[in-house]
């Protein structure tokens, strides 16, 4: 019995040494190649502010829900600009802005809102803002005043700027946006 155990140990050691010797004399080579890619930056958004084509007159309103959807790979601060005609030094349309938007610039034909309450809110990739408003209404003006207006159309524009190194002060960031555009 001892002899067969010795033979088994000898045979196991012999096979183990044989496999090790085979592995040592066998030729083997390996090589890696690694890419040198850099991540592409995509900076874009979708402005959704569809307005149905319709006839409008004094006192009429229309539905519009301007939102910005960050389809970029980067965070951004966003602004919505509303340009509209005026009548007698006042804007032709009125609307109530959502509380998550703050007014940063205005005159009778031009309104700019920043996304955020007291300071700018970062819009992360894949996120969407709340709508600036749900409807706009033409002011009650006389038919004579209405007849003097050639173009009653509203233009809604969206702006986005990178958050890196930027202040969260909406007026300051909007000034930078205006300088770039």
């Amino acid at each position: 019995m001892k002899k067969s155990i010795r033979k088994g140990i000898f045979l196991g050691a012999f096979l183990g040494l044989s496999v090790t010797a085979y592995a040592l004399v066998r030729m083997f080579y390996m090589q890696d190649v690694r890419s040198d890619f850099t991540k592409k930056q995509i900076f874009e958004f979708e402005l959704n502010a569809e307005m149905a084509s319709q006839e409008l007159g004094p006192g009429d309103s229309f539905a519009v829900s301007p939102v910005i959807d960050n389809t970029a790979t980067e965070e951004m601060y966003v602004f919505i600009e509303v340009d509209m005609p005026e009548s007698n030094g006042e804007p032709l349309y009125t609307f109530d802005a959502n509380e998550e938007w703050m007014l940063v610039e205005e005159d009778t034909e031009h309104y700019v809102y920043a996304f955020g309450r007291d300071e700018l809110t970062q819009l992360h990739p894949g996120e969407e803002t709340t709508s600036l408003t749900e409807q706009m209404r033409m002011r009650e003006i006389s038919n004579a005043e209405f007849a003097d207006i050639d173009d009653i159309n509203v233009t809604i524009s969206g702006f986005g700027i990178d958050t890196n190194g930027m202040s969260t002060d909406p007026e300051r960031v909007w000034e930078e946006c205006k300088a770039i555009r």
Side-chain angles (χ1 to χ4, degrees), residues 28-138:
F28 177 76
Y29 178 73
M30 184 181 145
Q31 181 179 18
D32 285 333
V33 176
R34 181 171 169 82
S35 64
D36 190 23
F37 298 147
T38 55
K39 188 175 175 184
K40 180 179 182 179
Q41 288 185 319
I42 300 169
F43 200 78
E44 61 189 19
F45 62 81
E46 286 185 22
L47 171 65
N48 300 309
E50 293 183 22
M51 295 174 266
S53 179
Q54 60 190 35
E55 285 187 355
L56 289 176
D60 291 341
S61 50
F62 61 95
V64 60
S65 298
V67 296
I68 292 179
D69 181 12
N70 183 352
T71 58
T73 58
E74 310 298 320
E75 296 169 340
M76 62 178 69
Y77 294 132
V78 294
F79 298 84
I80 289 182
E81 178 181 60
V82 180
D83 288 316
M84 66 181 86
E86 57 94 18
S87 173
N88 292 328
E90 292 187 46
L92 184 58
Y93 296 96
T94 61
F95 62 93
D96 294 323
N98 183 312
E99 64 185 24
E100 292 189 20
W101 289 88
M102 65 184 124
L103 185 64
V104 292
E105 185 175 283
E106 71 176 306
D107 60 36
T108 57
E109 297 179 359
H110 171 85
Y111 295 83
V112 177
Y113 289 85
F115 184 59
R117 290 184 183 203
D118 297 322
E119 61 182 30
L120 290 168
T121 299
Q122 288 185 355
L123 191 61
H124 300 279
E127 288 184 343
E128 183 177 87
T129 65
T130 57
S131 64
L132 173 63
T133 188
E134 297 301 321
Q135 77 171 12
M136 295 180 79
R137 184 177 173 276
M138 188 182 292

